[in-house]
Structures are given as C-alpha cells and as structure tokens.
Amino acid sequence: MTVFLRDAVPADAPHIAALHARSWRASYAPFVPPEVLEAPLEANMRARWDTWPAHRLILLAERAGEVLGFVAAERGDVPIVDNLHVDPEMRGGGIGERLLRSLAARLKQEGVTELLLHVLEGNSGARRFYRRLGGQEGPAADDTLLDAPVRMVPMRWSGAAFDALAADFGEQPGKDA
Ligand SMILES: CC(C)(COP(=O)(O)OP(=O)(O)OC[C@H]1O[C@@H](n2cnc3c(N)ncnc32)[C@H](O)[C@@H]1OP(=O)(O)O)[C@@H](O)C(=O)NCCC(=O)NCCS
C-alpha cells in the first residue's frame, strides 16, 4: 500500500506523540539518561504535542491512516528542523529522505535558501543519512537534551546543497508518490 505525505493537523498530535515515543525508545538509549525512556515517556510526548506548534511546518508520512514518520521545522530566517522520526519498523525504506526533501521543497517555495538542524554527535546513522543528502557538518558543541549534557553537531544545507535537497523530485505532500 502506498505511503502518502501530507501536512500534519492538530488531530494528528496523539499519533505523532506515539511515534515520537516509539522512535526514542528504539534509538535514543545511547543518548539519553535511562529514566527518560521509562514508563512516562508516552505521556511526556503527549504533553509535548498537546500544545500544537501551529507556526511550525510539520509533514507526515502515512499509510492507510497509520502515521509512519514525521518531520517538523521551526520557521525563521534559517529554519531549523527540530524533529525527524520514522517508525522503527519502516526505517531504511526512503521515508526519511522523502520527508526531508519535501520539507525543504516547501520551505523553498516560501523563499527559504538554507536549512539547519542539530544532530547528536553519537547518532552516526542519522549523521550519515544527512551527509548523504548533502548536509555539511560543523564542529560539535556542548548542548543539553532534557537537561542531560550532550554534544551536538550542526548540519547545514545552503546554496547548491539546499537547492539540491529542495529540488523537485516528483513529490508534493498530499499527492500519491
Ligand atoms: C534518521 C532517520 C529519520 C532516517 O529515516 P529513514 O527512512 O530510515 O531514511 P532513508 O531510508 O531515507 O535512508 C536510510 C539511511 O538512514 C540511516 N539510518 C539511521 N538509522 C537507520 C536504521 N535503523 N535502519 C536503516 N537506516 C537507518 C542510514 O544512514 C541510512 O543510510 P545508509 O543507507 O547510507 O546507511 C530514521 O532512521 C530515524 O527515524 N532514526 C531515529 C530518529 C533520529 O535519529 N532522527 C534524527 C534526529 S536528528
């Protein structure tokens, strides 16, 4: 069955929160203190998504009504991608790439020419994924995640790299692809 991309709406919040928690449990054990991934994680994620971030651009990947991935960006002079998660069962199938490219294409239509995100230094799979899509890494720096000290690597797309990421690859959210 086909995976569609579309804009997220507030009614999607519980499904996004559930996927967010599932993705953290599957992947974030090396990066966050163990108590973060314990029982209240689902409730914590629901609380986090309860207030809908209307100013953000949020795209979903969906199949037969099931949310399989989402990407969110905070708009600004240089928009910042602050979440990209794909269902752990569905990783490696291109959904993450579709989400990130579609997000960049949408932002480009709004006049954006650069995109930034911060990825955990130890998240080597995600770093490889972003580099493969043309992201340029900057030097790692100290940061915090849920009050825990972490090292984050900035990843930036600008100029030709942003244009390539945002290039039309035959997909618009809401259309079958
Ligand atoms: C990073 C992520 C969004 C990529 O989405 P995806 O749909 O798996 O990506 P694609 O299929 O388009 O591309 C596959 C790439 O993802 C990376 N990847 C990361 N974790 C992976 C996994 N468990 N299985 C397969 N690929 C994975 C690999 O680098 C792979 O590239 P490679 O073929 O060069 O090794 C997804 O793996 C994910 O949700 N990871 C956990 C959350 C996370 O770390 N998000 C990024 C926060 S900054």
Side-chain angles (χ1 to χ4, degrees):
M1 201 172 292
T2 310
V3 176
F4 289 91
L5 301 197
R6 66 168 173 83
D7 284 61
V9 295
D12 295 313
H15 306 288
I16 293 176
L19 172 55
H20 204 169
R22 213 158 55 245
S23 180
W24 271 53
R25 273 200 211 289
S27 307
Y28 276 37
F31 314 129
V32 299
E35 57 274 16
V36 170
L37 300 178
E38 284 166 8
L41 180 64
E42 280 75 11
N44 290 345
M45 288 302 191
R46 270 200 306 280
R48 188 167 165 174
W49 284 96
D50 255 3
T51 308
W52 184 248
H55 56 291
R56 296 224 169 116
L57 175 57
I58 307 171
L59 302 181
L60 288 189
E62 185 179 67
R63 185 180 56 192
E66 188 189 358
V67 176
L68 301 179
F70 71 97
V71 63
E74 172 99 38
R75 288 185 169 93
D77 282 349
V78 179
I80 299 180
V81 178
D82 58 8
N83 272 296
L84 173 59
H85 290 274
V86 171
D87 189 312
E89 308 270 297
M90 298 297 296
R91 288 182 193 159
I95 292 176
E97 177 173 349
R98 286 174 63 187
L99 283 166
L100 191 62
R101 285 187 181 280
S102 295
L103 180 95
R106 282 285 294 278
L107 290 169
K108 188 172 179 178
Q109 286 169 7
E110 296 178 11
V112 164
T113 58
E114 271 186 281
L115 192 61
L116 180 66
L117 58 79
H118 294 91
V119 56
L120 286 155
E121 187 176 31
N123 194 350
S124 51
R127 286 174 65 186
R128 196 168 62 237
F129 164 79
Y130 292 132
R131 285 198 304 263
R132 186 160 56 75
L133 292 174
Q136 297 288 317
E137 289 191 347
D142 291 333
D143 207 330
T144 56
L145 185 64
L146 302 167
D147 298 329
V150 291
R151 302 268 297 165
M152 288 283 194
V153 172
M155 188 76 67
R156 184 180 288 271
W157 287 261
S158 57
F162 178 77
D163 289 344
L165 186 71
D168 180 10
F169 68 117
E171 176 158 35
Q172 290 291 320
K175 280 193 357 199
D176 195 353

